[in-house]
Amino acid sequence: VIRCRAAVAWAPGKPLSIEEVEVAPPKAGEVRIKIVATGICHTDDHVLKGSLPNVEFPVIPGHEGAGIVESIGQGVTSVKPGDKVIPLCIPQCGECSFCRNPESNFCQKSQFSEPQNLLPDKTSRFSCKGEQIHHFLWISTFAEYTVVPEYAVAKIDAAAPLDKVCLFGCGFSTGYGAAINTAKVKPGSTCAIFGLGGVGLSVVMGCKAAGASRIIAVDINKDKFAKAKELGATDCINPRDFKKPIQEVLTEMTGHGVDYSFEAIGLADTMVGGTSAPVPLLMAQLSTDPVVL
């Protein structure tokens, strides 16, 4: 058993509390990881507010991290102690019917099929003050050590900087994948990205990699524009600079509107459309920087 620090959410609506927790050894098919860096995603804020269904308290949040394998359970073959890894909040077991189907990417053992408040054997590896602490999405990266199923771990290059690649666990893959895999942005197209947090900036990179000729970045925080242009944005606009709805501005800029539009805020009004400036960009303020533990 390892004793370490973790940020525990004891109840919905309560702030995180830094506690000493006990982390049990990994069982068969499990991996114990020393978390070196974790990102802070808006989803973790939803956990704290109690707005995510099926999350049980007390819980250790966090689902965007990177670390080093500390020990492995019986039967684990894909990683060994000392390997750098990224824990996966949407795992691929490789065995269920969804994983075997080339048209599907949601593993039946993921949160989309059943809650991941405990490990697959329905027990927890976390305890604090004699009380069981729940896992979040099986990985709980807001702890200095965590235990995850083997199929929820990806081994990465030994030279990878953990404080950077931790964002692959959620924010980068979400944004970049939205452009490359979901929208399938075409070369020469025009794209608009609403929100320039970690997800939005990753969309910018995805659109650039896909060959988009015009990438319009939208945010109320002008301090984000330099980074957006560095990563590939061709235009940066602030809705507060205009008296008309931002979609009208985009139509005037392009003559016909954009080919692809990405909402990287988590704001329903932006997705529905017709919202006048200013637009509060919530995720742009929350999902930006990794935290080194």
Side-chain angles (χ1 to χ4, degrees):
V1 174
I2 289 178
R3 290 176 174 82
C4 66
R5 294 177 301 165
V8 179
W10 289 101
K14 302 294 184 181
L16 288 170
S17 176
I18 304 299
E19 306 280 2
E20 181 180 82
V21 300
E22 295 182 340
V23 185
K27 295 184 180 180
E30 297 177 352
V31 179
R32 187 160 60 181
I33 304 168
K34 178 183 179 180
I35 296 294
V36 175
T38 182
I40 301 174
C41 180
H42 205 173
T43 301
D44 300 308
D45 186 58
H46 292 323
V47 172
L48 296 181
K49 292 178 179 176
S51 55
L52 281 188
N54 301 321
V55 174
E56 294 187 36
F57 291 80
V59 62
I60 298 174
H63 62 286
E64 187 180 64
I68 300 170
V69 174
E70 178 272 335
S71 59
I72 58 176
Q74 182 180 358
V76 173
T77 59
S78 62
V79 295
K80 64 182 184 303
D83 285 346
K84 286 186 176 180
V85 294
I86 294 175
L88 309 174
C89 59
I90 303 180
Q92 294 267 291
C93 72
E95 300 175 352
C96 70
S97 60
F98 281 18
C99 284
R100 294 196 304 267
N101 187 334
E103 302 300 321
S104 171
N105 65 345
F106 284 147
C107 176
Q108 286 178 293
K109 297 180 180 179
S110 74
Q111 178 75 14
F112 295 96
S113 299
E114 63 180 51
Q116 295 178 7
N117 298 309
L118 298 170
L119 290 183
D121 70 349
K122 306 306 178 186
T123 63
S124 173
R125 302 294 167 270
F126 295 126
S127 61
C128 180
K129 302 176 181 177
E131 184 174 351
Q132 171 184 276
I133 306 297
H134 292 90
H135 295 248
F136 178 58
L137 300 180
W138 280 345
I139 56 180
S140 293
T141 61
F142 287 4
E144 291 179 313
Y145 286 85
T146 189
V147 177
V148 304
E150 179 183 11
Y151 51 78
V153 176
K155 181 180 176 180
I156 60 174
D157 194 296
L162 297 179
D163 61 334
K164 304 293 192 303
V165 299
C166 66
L167 300 178
F168 275 79
C170 179
F172 175 78
S173 53
T174 298
Y176 193 87
I180 300 296
N181 299 325
T182 305
K184 294 180 172 63
V185 170
K186 301 295 188 295
S189 60
T190 299
C191 305
I193 298 97
F194 292 82
L196 299 177
V199 175
L201 290 174
S202 300
V203 176
V204 171
M205 288 188 277
C207 292
K208 180 181 179 181
S213 61
R214 195 169 188 185
I215 303 171
I216 305 172
V218 184
D219 201 305
I220 60 172
N221 186 350
K222 292 184 177 181
D223 292 342
K224 297 177 181 289
F225 291 170
K227 176 61 69 174
K229 289 186 175 180
E230 178 186 337
L231 296 175
T234 57
D235 305 82
C236 293
I237 58 176
N238 184 341
R240 288 178 172 170
D241 292 339
F242 304 91
K243 294 182 179 180
K244 62 182 68 176
I246 197 63
Q247 65 268 25
E248 293 183 17
V249 176
L250 292 172
T251 300
E252 291 176 358
M253 290 176 62
T254 59
H256 54 77
V258 300
D259 301 306
Y260 303 93
S261 181
F262 300 88
E263 200 281 342
I265 308 165
L267 187 67
D269 286 344
T270 313
M271 290 183 273
V272 171
T275 302
S276 299
V279 179
L281 299 183
L282 303 179
M283 186 173 285
Q285 300 167 5
L286 286 172
S287 182
T288 304
D289 300 316
V291 177
V292 180
L293 297 179

